[in-house]
Each structure stands twice: as structure tokens, then as C-alpha cells.
């Protein structure tokens, strides 16, 4: 049985005071969402704040990117071991905003996932297609290729520890969400691909849905058999909405 994971992606939002209020709100209401695991992925400068506020609670924290290198002359990059020092349990890799704005290739994303796993972090590996690709019936090919690059870079044990997030680009931050059936179809395809590599890993790997998940559509999405949680952008910035999504998974 895979425990639902509700992960907030704060993106480049927040401030010390806004985060303090948000984290206090999440902590106050987290008891009602005990059946699922809660996670917040904060910008690097706020990881120490998350550690200070969340250590000893049931809420996990993580980062939004990690270097594919272990250490060295990579100005501006942040190593997986550094994230571990700040108590991170998870790190998002290959978010479509990084693939688009930072030109991250699937091979680079796969290296980042491998580096995260080697350091004891769980990578949340994002995959997803554009609207044009969906309209051209290329969703499975595009998303499948993004996953294949990761499967090639990891051993079976590592595959079993990863989390995948299916995030159709046309649904991110747009208010348009994939229907539960559309999302389920892609999630089932992704799980079948993982199963072809390792049945045990496929059973274990959580596949999250991301793309305008909100309190009013979360229950239907999370009820699908292969949707094991959500990666939530906009709605994760309001404690009430984030917790309402978590409650919808019960
Ligand atoms: C995201 O950025 O991962 C995301 C899913 O954003 P939103 O929920 O705002 O669509």
C-alpha cells in the first residue's frame, strides 16, 4: 500500500515572515491529514527555516533542484549532501520550468536523480508533455522517453526509491487540470514502464499528479488507482488549501 504524498512546490515564492505564517498554518492543521505524508519544497535560502520550524513534526521538507555534481567548481549549484545537512528528505528534479528556462535535458535530470539518491534524498522526478504534444497524440512517447532516461541511469534499488510526478505542462499554473481519467491513463503507462524494469519497484514507486490541483478537484484525482499523491504549486502557498487537498486524499 503506497501512502499518499502531498507535496507543495513553493517555486520562487516566500519570505521569512510569509513562510513562518504558512508553516505555522500547516503545522496547526496537519493532525487532520494524518493519513498522508506532507512535504514542502522551499527555495534554498529557506531550507534552514523549514528545518527550524518542522524538525520533530511529521511534515517533511525538501528542495526544488540539486546539482548533478557531488562538489567542486560549479558556481551557484547546490550539492545533494548540502541539502541533507539541512534535513531535506526530498528534492524535485526536472520540473518543467527548469527544463524550459534552464534547458535541462532528460539526461541531466537523470544524473540529478542519481546524485540525489546516492546522498539519501528521494528525488521527485517530473515528467510531462506540452499541449501541442498532447494534441499530436505524443503524450506517451514524450513522457515515456523522459522516464526512460531516468530508468537507464538508476539501478533497480534506486528505481524503487524514486518518486515520479506527472505534470502536463498545459495544466501547470493555468487553472486547467487533466481529468482524472486522462491523468490515470498516463500514470498507468508510467507504472507499466517501471514494472517492465522491476515489478517490486513499480509496486512501491509513488506517482504524483501535478497541474492545477486544488481543493475542489483533488478528491477525484487522488481516488484514481495509480495517482499516489499530488505535487502542488499555487495551492501550496495557502495552508488552508494545501491542507484541504491533503484531507481530500483520506
Ligand atoms: C507545479 O509547479 O509543480 C504545479 C503543479 O503548479 P500548479 O499547482 O500551480 O499548477
Amino acid at each position: 500500500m503506497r501512502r499518499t504524498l502531498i507535496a507543495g512546490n513553493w517555486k520562487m515564492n516566500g519570505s521569512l515572515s510569509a513562510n513562518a505564517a504558512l508553516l505555522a498554518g500547516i503545522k496547526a492543521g496537519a493532525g487532520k491529514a494524518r493519513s498522508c505524508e506532507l512535504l514542502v519544497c522551499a527555495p534554498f535560502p529557506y531550507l534552514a527555516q523549514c528545518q527550524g520550524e518542522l524538525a520533530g513534526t511529521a511534515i517533511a521538507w525538501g528542495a526544488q533542484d540539486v546539482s548533478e555534481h557531488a562538489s567542486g567548481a560549479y558556481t551557484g549549484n547546490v550539492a545533494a549532501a548540502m541539502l541533507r545537512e539541512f534535513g531535506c528528505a526530498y528534492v524535485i528534479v526536472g520540473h518543467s520550468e527548469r527544463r524550459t528556462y534552464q534547458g535541462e535535458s532528460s539526461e541531466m535530470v537523470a544524473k540529478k536523480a542519481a546524485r540525489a539518491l546516492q546522498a539519501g534524498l528521494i528525488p521527485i522526478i517530473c515528467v510531462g508533455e506540452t499541449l501541442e504534444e498532447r494534441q499530436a497524440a505524443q503524450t506517451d512517447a514524450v513522457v515515456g522517453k523522459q522516464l526512460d532516461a531516468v530508468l537507464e541511469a538508476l539501478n533497480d534499488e534506486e528505481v524503487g526509491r524514486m518518486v515520479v510526478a506527472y505534470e502536463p505542462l498545459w495544466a501547470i499554473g493555468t487553472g486547467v487540470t487533466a481529468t482524472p481519467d486522462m491523468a490515470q491513463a498516463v500514470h498507468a503507462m508510467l507504472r507499466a514502464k517501471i514494472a517492465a524494469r522491476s515489478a517490486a519497484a513499480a509496486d512501491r514507486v509513488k506517482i504524483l499528479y501535478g497541474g492545477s490541483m486544488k481543493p475542489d478537484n483533488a478528491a477525484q484525482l487522488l481516488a484514481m488507482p495509480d495517482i499516489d499523491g499530488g505535487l502542488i504549486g499555487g495551492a501550496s502557498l495557502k495552508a488552508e488549501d494545501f491542507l484541504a487537498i491533503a484531507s481530500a486524499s483520506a
Side-chain angles (χ1 to χ4, degrees):
M1 190 59 189
R2 296 178 295 269
R3 188 171 177 223
T4 303
L5 172 62
I6 300 296
N9 173 15
W10 290 359
K11 309 195 188 200
M12 200 174 71
N13 293 297
S15 64
L16 287 171
S17 61
N19 302 344
L22 177 55
L23 292 171
I26 296 173
K27 281 196 284 187
K32 288 190 207 125
R34 237 178 266 135
S35 62
C36 63
E37 183 180 359
L38 294 177
L39 164 69
V40 295
C41 293
F44 293 132
Y46 299 130
L47 292 176
Q49 183 184 23
C50 288
Q51 187 174 34
E53 295 288 341
L54 299 177
T57 74
I59 305 159
W61 62 98
Q64 300 170 14
D65 183 38
V66 66
S67 174
E68 68 269 39
H69 305 288
S71 65
Y74 302 102
T75 304
N77 284 9
V78 174
M82 298 171 184
L83 299 181
R84 288 294 294 147
E85 282 204 304
F86 284 89
C88 291
Y90 292 85
V91 61
I92 298 170
V93 296
H95 191 280
S96 61
E97 287 153 13
R98 293 201 62 82
R99 291 183 192 253
T100 303
Y101 306 135
Q102 268 74 34
E104 289 190 7
S105 65
S106 292
E107 289 64 35
M108 190 187 289
V109 172
K111 281 187 192 160
K112 290 183 174 201
R115 193 60 79 183
L117 285 158
Q118 285 153 16
L121 289 162
I122 299 172
I124 299 178
I125 301 153
C126 301
V127 297
E129 84 286 4
T130 64
L131 185 58
E132 294 69 34
E133 288 163 342
R134 174 161 283 271
Q135 286 169 342
Q138 289 171 349
T139 299
D140 285 8
V142 169
V143 173
K145 208 167 154 211
Q146 291 170 341
L147 180 65
D148 281 342
V150 173
L151 293 176
E152 274 166 35
L154 305 183
N155 64 36
D156 285 7
E157 183 274 328
E158 290 169 335
V159 169
R161 280 194 286 136
M162 70 181 184
V163 170
V164 176
Y166 169 56
E167 298 208 309
L169 273 69
W170 45 271
I172 297 178
T174 58
V176 178
T177 187
T179 65
D181 286 338
M182 278 159 88
Q184 167 59 27
V186 179
H187 282 229
M189 182 276 294
L190 291 169
R191 197 175 307 284
K193 261 186 172 295
I194 300 168
R197 168 65 179 277
S198 158
D203 209 34
R204 190 178 156 186
V205 169
K206 291 177 191 181
I207 307 180
L208 314 183
Y209 169 78
S212 298
M213 193 184 265
K214 308 273 181 228
D216 61 357
N217 60 27
Q220 288 168 300
L221 286 158
L222 294 169
M224 302 311 278
D226 288 295
I227 301 184
D228 307 312
L231 182 55
I232 296 128
S236 73
L237 298 172
K238 278 195 198 150
E240 202 186 327
D241 288 356
F242 187 59
L243 292 167
I245 291 171
S247 300
S249 73

